[in-house]
Amino acid sequence: MMQNAHLAPENTEDDLYSGYNDYNPIFDTEDLENDAAFQQAARTSHGRRPPVTAKIPGTSSPRPLATGFGAGFCSDGVSRPMTAVQAAGYTKAAVRGSSFDPLGQARGPASPLEKKTSDSLEEKMRQLEKKVNELVEESCIANSTGAFKLALEKAKEAGRQERELLRQREQIAPPENINLDLTYAVLLNLASQYVANEMYAEALTTYQVIVKNKMFSNGGILKVNMGNIYLKQRNYSKAIKFYRMALDQITSSHKQMRIKVMENIGVAFIKTGQYVDAISSFEEIMSISPNLKAGFNLILCYLAIGNGEQMKKAFKNLIEVPLEVDYEEKYISLNDDLHTNLLIEAIKNDSLSQIERERKALAEEYIMTAAKLIAPAIETSFAVGYDWCVDVVKASHYVELANDLEINKATTYLRQQNFNQALETLKMFEKKDSRVKSAAATNLSFLYYLGNELEQATNYADLAVNSDRYNPAALTNKGNTVLANGDHEKAAEFYKEALRNDSLCTEALYNLGLVYKKLNKIDEALDCFLKLHAILPNSAQVLYQIASIYEIMEDPNQAIEWLLQLISVVPTDPHVLSKLGNLYDTEGDKSQAFHYYCESYRYFPSNIEVIEWLGAYYIDTQFCEKAIEYFERAALILPTQVKWQLMVASCYRRSGNYQKALEKYKVIHRKFPENVECLRFLVRLCTDMGLKEVQEYITKLKKAEKLKEMREQRIKSGKDGSARSRREGSGDSGGTKGERLSAKLRTLPGTNEPYESSSNKEIDASYADPLGSQPERPKTAARKRMEEDEFADEELGEDLLPE
């Protein structure tokens, strides 16, 4: 045994602890993750380890087992460390690690747990259910943003995915485990999206699926939605049926819901003319939970059946409907506390106060409208009925409405053209409070202004302004009276003051633009009308004024753009259409000008300027036959002006129809025997056609020219050298200045004809036709033409001179 004994070295401190720091692999835990046997044992449910000999990693020698023989000795001579010291981490020197790490933190994080495979059917269904919910949410969001088509597509996709989920769940789970809430949500959303896209048949089918399924406990309430669809389709009988079915399934605890359904039933009865049944619905509502809409509809029903006493009763009930509004009391400060005053200022315009104001304004609108409707029906006359309404309103908490009703009474008199009664009613307010007095004086000023009584209009305008300096209507009327007296600058000041008090006073802004236009302040006028256009984008007057200003600024392109906007608002206005034609003509765009002139002529075929332009256009384009239609219409409109009939005859001659032209000239000569132009063309045509009447017309022409010359001399020799010309009937109208045609017709090619004013030129019977060569004329026309001087210098006989 002695040969195996280890003797302690002499003179050393550590002899007693020798071998304690020696490494024994049996206690190695760091490499357990690489130990296949240990990992296999850990995976088994019972945790048994196969009986194999442990090995040191990287070696093939067996791992020695510790024994209990001896203190600190092993059977193979390897000293076993004390487990307590090793576990605590107390070592003499670092053998496998250099730091104190009793918890093994230096080994790093543990290996990640193995992910559970998602191949299971249950996991797939959970993912599918999540996707369906997401699609429903996306559909609702798209609907809220106005993207109805996208919302419907998402709803349909959610429906397809939900059906697939239902099919898979039925294979592995009993029917009671199906998610009915998800199915209900998908179907309801799909039906709602069908309604938003106006696909009512599909929506009704989807609602039927929900309603008929007994598993949906709240499905019956959706019959309200079905009733709404039938109401939109104007199928009122079915709407009433479904509303009543829904009402039977709504419990009394849902009071507001029942009230709304009953209101819908009443409205549907009104649509069908069943006013008695509608009255029953609205009466029940007013007895359970009175509201403004039901009260107003009840008045309408009694008005429809003509029951005056019930109208009065319903009107009183309407006024007594509680608004649950604190009015102005809570906004009045009773002390000088700064904190309280700041708080009051803060709540004056918060969302709650805005709701209160809206509710109050709605109530006033219902009461005012109801009073206007029932006033003529509840008493023998309109005035007595209105007085009854005013007395009832005065006795309620709507006292301020009484004055407004009186002013509306005066306005109604105006609509009935009973101006005296309107004036008397308005004059009653001269002693009332300033606000009412100002409103009444404003209306009086307007009335006198319309009657062209400027003095009275000015007086009442001053009274209105003095009563309420912040009344924009009063300031506008005052500006109108000043403008009527010719003071444009002062009128502009009143309009500006009205706009400072109310920036949306459209009348003041429009009038200010007109004043600036009159004062030739074009940029300021344009600014006013552009601001007004932002407020009233579809106002024809504003659009026309903007186009007119751009025309003044010599910007025809902008003028055309605004006029095009104008005809989108008033597409049948002939003046605007002719204006567009004129602008396009100025720009040289004949085709567009022709289009708009034709449209103007179609809507108003009596505009001489349009007729003249269209006739000249056809002559310019060598379609004289079409020009005849327009000149004949002009001759019908102005039968005393010879020039239109001369144009008709000239068009016949230009188109080669000489016989018609000759007949027309003869007709003109019979109506206007002293017209020189007509006689000249008669001479020319008779000469060309070789007719015997030529000498007769030559004689008449000489006489007419002589008479014309004598008239001109008499005018020149008039007293004081007056240049005033007289129209001597219609005989010389073809050659006077007042009868000359527009420059458009003067510039037409080949206008040695009726399109130029007559002069004392010598007769020229020859002409060149602008349409080209004509068919061979009769041989009689081939004879020698008369020379110009054959009759030009001939003296008139005594018998041809005027008496």
Side-chain angles (χ1 to χ4, degrees), residues 611-633 644-658 660-661 745 748-751 753-755 767-772 774:
I611 292 171
E612 184 177 4
W613 191 94
L614 288 170
Y617 174 82
Y618 279 120
I619 291 175
D620 193 25
T621 54
Q622 306 295 324
F623 289 100
C624 300
E625 299 88 345
K626 292 186 177 181
I628 293 172
E629 171 192 347
Y630 296 99
F631 292 138
E632 284 182 340
R633 179 172 289 276
W644 306 113
Q645 301 188 41
L646 289 173
M647 289 180 190
V648 174
S650 179
C651 289
Y652 280 127
R653 186 172 57 79
R654 279 171 170 267
S655 61
N657 195 341
Y658 301 108
K660 275 262 189 184
L745 291 177
L748 294 176
T751 55
E753 299 162 354
Y755 306 111
Y767 64 93
D769 194 88
L771 300 178
Q774 300 295 322

Side-chain angles (χ1 to χ4, degrees), residues 198-224:
E198 298 183 358
M199 301 170 67
Y200 298 128
E202 292 84 351
L204 287 171
T205 303
T206 309
Y207 280 129
Q208 285 286 4
V209 172
I210 302 174
V211 170
K212 289 184 178 180
N213 193 334
K214 302 299 182 183
M215 300 179 70
F216 298 135
S217 57
N218 295 324
I221 201 172
L222 294 181
K223 290 178 181 177
V224 174

Side-chain angles (χ1 to χ4, degrees), residues 255-263 285 288-289 291:
K255 181 179 177 182
Q256 291 301 319
M257 185 69 178
R258 290 181 62 86
I259 293 296
K260 290 180 179 179
V261 174
M262 284 191 285
E263 283 183 359
I285 294 171
I288 298 173
S289 176
N291 63 76

Side-chain angles (χ1 to χ4, degrees), residues 158-191:
R160 286 192 290 268
Q161 297 288 346
E162 194 274 334
R163 286 193 296 272
E164 176 64 22
L165 173 64
L166 190 61
R167 185 184 63 79
Q168 293 183 12
R169 194 175 290 280
E170 286 176 348
Q171 294 177 358
I172 65 168
E176 57 270 14
N177 291 336
I178 295 174
N179 190 347
L180 291 176
D181 292 338
L182 181 62
T183 305
Y184 183 87
V186 169
L187 290 174
L188 179 59
N189 178 60
L190 180 60

Side-chain angles (χ1 to χ4, degrees), residues 10-17:
E10 295 180 1
N11 301 324
T12 59
E13 287 185 16
D14 297 336
D15 289 343
L16 293 177
Y17 300 100

Side-chain angles (χ1 to χ4, degrees), residues 357-381:
R357 284 196 296 269
E358 290 172 2
R359 187 179 295 176
K360 186 178 179 183
L362 181 64
E364 292 176 354
E365 182 182 358
Y366 277 131
I367 293 170
M368 294 283 287
T369 307
K372 293 176 189 177
L373 290 172
I374 68 173
I378 58 177
E379 296 292 347
T380 55
S381 68

